[in-house]
């Protein structure tokens, strides 16, 4: 399939920003199913008092939470599938078309060549796996929260010595509105989602830019625009990236240097191009 190249009225960064903002909004809206279910469960368990129907009410509260957790998992899976199958290919194509625009090849069509297809398949599979792993970890944490809440509620109803049902403590020990990074650092869901989706979308768009420069413009190098202090392989790398020329191979290895990186890729055209 070929795509006619149209003039890009907004910069690639602006288009990707709108794209990432929309995806972040969708993902955080899904996540509210989980945090809302946590609040509902804690309120329901706190309201239960000893009596003949206490056990039945606990079971009902548990089932309500489990249904919400299952819905969260289904909706998140659907988001991830759309992101990998539809959204990331769109980001890739945006990067590709922007490269042709920089080269003023506005009448040259762009096509999903074998090399482009291979690149987006690899990226989509990698990022699908990353987000699915995050979903699996979140479901595991939600189930751990459920077990702890049910144990605390049942212990209180049996007057177990020293048992206090504390919704605040359960929420503090099991913060489902955060994502846990390596080292047990916790970050709000919205900030994690924005950082993760931005990394994936911009990496994908820049890869599309680089391979289009190589395939359709016969470039051996690309021009890099970046933050003035940003290094090539990481922010601290003394090899600064801004206003440098990089080979296609090197650029493909480092389409971004770090989360929230502002790196842009442009084709480096020789006179014969």
């Amino acid at each position: 399939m070929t795509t006619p190249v149209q003039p890009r009225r907004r910069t690639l960064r602006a288009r990707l920003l709108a794209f990432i903002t929309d995806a972040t909004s969708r993902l955080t809206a899904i996540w509210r199913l989980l945090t809302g279910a946590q609040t509902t469960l804690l309120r329901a368990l706190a309201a239960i008092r000893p009596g003949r129907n206490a056990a039945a009410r606990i079971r009902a509260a548990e089932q309500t939470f489990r249904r919400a957790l299952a819905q969260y998992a289904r909706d998140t899976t659907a988001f991830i599938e759309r992101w990998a199958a539809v959204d990331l290919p769109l980001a890739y194509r945006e990067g590709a078309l922007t490269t042709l625009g920089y080269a003023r090849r506005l009448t040259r069509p762009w096509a999903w060549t074998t090399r482009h297809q291979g690149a987006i398949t690899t990226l989509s599979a990698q990022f699908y796996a990353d987000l699915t792993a995050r979903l699996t970890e979140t479901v595991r944490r939600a189930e751990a929260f459920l077990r702890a809440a049910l144990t605390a509620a049942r212990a209180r109803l049996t007057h177990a010595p020293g048992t206090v049902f504390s919704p605040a403590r359960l929420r503090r020990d099991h913060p489902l509105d955060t994502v846990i990074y390596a080292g047990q650092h916790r970050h709000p869901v919205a900030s994690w989602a924005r950082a993760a989706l931005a990394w994936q979308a911009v990496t994908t768009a820049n890869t599309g830019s680089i391979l289009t420069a190589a395939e359709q413009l016969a470039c051996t190098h690309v021009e890099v625009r970046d933050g003035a202090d940003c290094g090539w392989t990481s922010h601290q790398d003394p090899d600064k990236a801004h206003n440098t020329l990089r080979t296609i191979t090197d650029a493909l290895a480092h389409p971004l240097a770090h989360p929230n990186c502002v790196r842009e890729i442009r084709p480096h055209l020789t006179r014969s191009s």
Side-chain angles (χ1 to χ4, degrees):
M1 178 179 177
T2 61
T3 301
V5 180
Q6 300 296 328
R8 320 306 286 167
R9 292 184 175 86
R10 293 189 297 165
T11 65
L12 177 61
R13 182 184 300 180
R15 295 195 301 278
L16 288 178
L17 178 60
F19 180 77
I20 293 161
T21 298
D22 174 70
T24 300
S25 178
R26 288 187 281 119
L27 185 54
T28 53
I30 294 169
W31 215 285
R32 283 195 288 272
L33 289 171
L34 186 59
T35 54
Q38 182 178 45
T39 297
T40 298
L41 178 70
L42 291 173
R43 287 175 177 170
L45 294 179
I48 297 173
R49 297 291 181 267
R52 288 191 306 172
N53 68 341
R57 293 180 65 187
I58 289 176
R59 287 195 298 272
E62 176 186 1
Q63 291 306 309
T64 297
F65 182 86
R66 289 192 181 279
R67 286 193 294 270
L69 178 58
Q71 186 65 52
Y72 161 80
R74 286 193 297 271
D75 289 356
T76 303
T77 298
F79 172 89
I80 295 170
E81 290 173 348
R82 170 182 163 176
W83 180 252
V86 178
D87 295 335
L88 288 178
L90 289 175
Y92 187 101
R93 188 174 62 182
E94 283 290 334
L97 297 182
T98 298
T99 286
L100 293 182
Y102 283 136
R104 300 186 184 278
R105 302 296 202 270
L106 298 181
T107 60
R108 179 175 296 186
W110 182 85
W112 282 102
T113 64
T114 300
R115 195 175 184 189
H116 289 313
Q117 290 173 355
I120 192 58
T121 297
T122 298
L123 288 168
S124 294
Q126 174 190 336
F127 294 146
Y128 178 94
D130 291 348
L131 292 177
T132 298
R134 180 61 64 189
L135 167 61
T136 300
E137 171 65 13
T138 302
V139 170
R140 184 198 65 77
R141 291 174 57 209
E143 291 173 341
F145 157 72
L146 176 61
R147 290 193 298 272
L150 295 176
T151 297
R154 288 166 179 150
R156 184 187 64 164
L157 294 177
T158 58
H159 305 289
T163 298
V164 176
F165 183 80
S166 172
R169 180 185 300 172
L170 286 164
R171 195 186 297 275
R172 184 177 64 249
D173 293 344
H174 302 274
L176 300 184
D177 59 348
T178 65
V179 168
I180 300 178
Y181 282 37
Q184 298 302 301
H185 297 297
R186 294 172 176 173
H187 296 267
V189 167
S191 63
W192 161 78
R194 187 174 187 83
L197 297 178
W199 171 269
Q200 295 186 7
V202 179
T203 294
T204 300
N206 281 355
T207 300
S209 296
I210 297 161
L211 284 179
T212 296
E215 281 228 321
Q216 293 192 248
L217 302 176
C219 295
T220 60
H221 291 71
V222 291
E223 301 174 8
V224 180
R225 302 289 187 271
D226 210 332
D229 296 326
C230 188
W232 177 241
T233 63
S234 68
H235 192 71
Q236 292 75 26
D237 187 348
D239 179 11
K240 300 305 179 185
H242 186 55
N243 282 339
T244 60
L245 293 182
R246 303 287 170 163
T247 66
I248 294 296
T249 299
D250 202 11
L252 287 173
H254 303 288
L256 286 182
H258 57 84
N260 300 315
C261 188
V262 298
R263 181 166 299 169
E264 295 182 10
I265 305 294
R266 300 185 182 189
H268 179 64
L269 300 168
T270 63
R271 290 185 177 181
S272 59
S273 296

